[in-house]
Amino acid sequence: MSAIHTTRIERLKRLEQLLPREVSSVDSAPDGARLLAILGDAYTAKSDTARLRKLQRDLDELVTDGRIEAVNPGGKPLRYRRLTDNVNDDPPVLQYALQQVRDLIAEYVPLRQLDRFWQRVLTEVEGPVLDRTRLRIVPDTLRLQPVELHPKVLSAAIEALAKGRALDITYRNAEDLCAPVRIHPQALLQRGPIPYLFALKNDEDAPVRLYALHRMVRAEVASDTPARAAAGFDLDQAIARGQADFGQGELIDLELRVRGYLATVLAACPLAPGQWFEDEPEGSMFDLRVSARVPSTGQLLRWLLGAGDNLEVLSPPDLRHVVAVQAGKMAAIYSDPSGASDAV
């Protein structure tokens, strides 16, 4: 086998393995320009146009072989996903696996998408690089124990999503009242210790609601009823908008003063893209002044309150007021060292 032919086979394998198996939306699948930026060392030519043509020929061959497909046929630019899960045992396996990791690093690290990177390393990289015995991802907050679920409910929810079917459930609301309802599942979400279903209710076209699985007393797949797709629903966008925190996540311009460990954390891990910060004047009680545009959600409020006296909200004024009121209520609880602050 010629060296040129061997090089092309390895290049095709790299290209195929770089593509995700599942995509949450068309825009999340890479196009030719993105793939060329990641695999630049594999495509040498006299011009960028020639390099892109070379890449496109490889993509066309993988499509013809049934190994990948365009997720937006006829679209411009075309975007691709992988169809196969073939394990390639050709030596050297380790070097090939490490090249996969390097390709994924080139794709996700510049975008600060480490969660997506680790997920694909664990589920898609072939070979002895990292597995669940050598990689763990843990939260930086107290981890509550998962809720108790009916196994048949979880099974039915997954089956309904997999088959694209409606789901008939009996749902217990916050007032402990049960009622039957038909929902049309769109996606599953594990939020902290509780799994939820994004779903349309009955004949509604909107909104997409969140249903806690532990509140489902009964769940059966409606085998004769396809699930209706919610127009424009995208799981990543729903999370980014704060919908996973039971709100639409209206964007606000947040301005804070921070100190201590929080100053170190926010300097390295921004609240949002475009975060801006500067040193506080000498003599200030705080170290940094931080500004960022973020969704206004319950999650944000809980984070602000959890920072204690390492943080001061400067704006928006209504959020500053909410934090001040909550801090005052907390202070009142602890005003009596004996713990009898509610005694009259």
Side-chain angles (χ1 to χ4, degrees):
M1 183 181 294
S2 70
I4 294 177
H5 186 61
T6 302
T7 299
R8 184 155 191 266
I9 290 175
E10 291 300 320
R11 192 176 70 227
L12 287 170
K13 288 194 302 185
R14 281 184 64 187
L15 179 57
E16 180 184 8
Q17 290 294 336
L18 178 61
L19 295 173
R21 283 187 293 234
E22 302 294 336
V23 294
S24 58
S25 65
V26 169
D27 290 342
S28 67
D31 60 13
R34 179 67 183 147
L35 293 168
L36 193 62
I38 298 169
L39 298 173
D41 62 322
Y43 291 91
T44 56
K46 294 182 179 180
S47 68
D48 288 341
T49 301
R51 293 172 64 230
L52 188 57
R53 282 200 302 266
K54 192 174 182 181
L55 169 69
Q56 192 59 56
R57 285 194 296 271
D58 285 351
L59 288 168
D60 291 342
E61 179 172 333
L62 292 173
V63 169
T64 300
D65 291 345
R67 294 158 65 180
I68 70 172
E69 71 173 2
V71 298
N72 60 334
K76 289 186 178 181
L78 287 171
R79 297 176 180 274
Y80 298 89
R81 76 177 186 94
R82 177 156 48 100
L83 294 175
T84 62
D85 290 326
N86 293 337
V87 177
N88 195 305
D89 295 326
D90 290 345
V93 173
L94 178 58
Q95 285 305 114
Y96 178 63
L98 288 173
Q99 185 59 61
Q100 286 182 263
V101 172
R102 286 190 285 268
D103 291 341
L104 291 173
I105 289 173
E107 180 174 5
Y108 289 114
V109 170
L111 302 176
R112 290 180 178 258
Q113 294 180 349
L114 285 179
D115 53 342
R116 299 285 297 275
F117 168 73
W118 292 123
Q119 180 184 27
R120 292 192 64 183
V121 166
L122 282 174
T123 60
E124 298 186 19
V125 171
E126 314 290 1
V129 180
L130 292 174
D131 57 25
R132 298 186 186 278
T133 67
R134 291 185 289 178
L135 171 63
R136 280 291 188 276
I137 301 167
V138 299
D140 60 354
T141 57
L142 178 65
R143 188 170 184 174
L144 302 176
Q145 293 298 302
V147 295
E148 184 177 354
L149 295 176
H150 295 282
K152 290 183 179 179
V153 165
L154 180 58
S155 177
I158 294 173
E159 181 181 346
L161 275 172
K163 293 182 176 180
R165 299 293 181 182
L167 193 64
D168 290 320
I169 65 173
T170 300
Y171 197 74
R172 187 180 67 251
N173 63 19
E175 286 74 40
D176 208 30
L177 300 175
C178 293
V181 62
R182 171 165 285 186
I183 62 175
H184 298 262
Q186 309 295 309
L188 268 170
L189 171 77
Q190 178 79 29
R191 178 180 174 272
I194 302 175
Y196 295 87
L197 263 181
F198 282 101
L200 294 172
K201 179 181 178 181
N202 294 330
D203 296 327
E204 295 177 350
D205 293 324
V208 177
R209 304 171 185 266
L210 271 175
Y211 291 88
L213 263 66
H214 71 287
R215 292 189 177 275
M216 296 181 187
V217 178
R218 176 191 66 90
E220 294 181 3
V221 177
S223 58
D224 59 341
T225 306
R228 290 184 292 105
F233 176 79
D234 179 271
L235 181 58
D236 288 334
Q237 292 178 11
I239 294 171
R241 289 196 303 265
Q243 192 174 346
D245 205 45
F246 307 100
Q248 294 306 311
E250 175 188 1
L251 289 175
I252 59 172
D253 293 315
L254 180 67
E255 187 173 358
L256 310 171
R257 293 200 302 170
V258 298
R259 63 186 176 190
Y261 82 94
L262 205 54
T264 302
V265 169
L266 291 184
C269 306
L271 284 164
Q275 174 182 287
W276 168 87
F277 65 88
E278 65 177 359
D279 291 332
E280 276 284 285
E282 187 173 350
S284 170
M285 294 188 301
F286 291 89
D287 300 325
L288 293 178
R289 183 169 294 228
V290 179
S291 298
R293 192 164 178 80
V294 298
S296 177
T297 63
Q299 186 179 42
L300 173 64
L301 179 59
R302 291 189 295 274
W303 182 82
L304 294 171
L305 293 171
D309 65 353
N310 287 301
L311 173 152
E312 179 190 7
V313 177
L314 299 177
S315 66
D318 55 345
L319 181 58
R320 177 183 172 89
H321 175 72
V322 169
V323 172
V325 169
Q326 293 298 319
K329 291 179 178 179
M330 292 172 63
I333 292 174
Y334 292 101
S335 61
D336 186 341
S338 69
S341 58
D342 58 346
V344 178

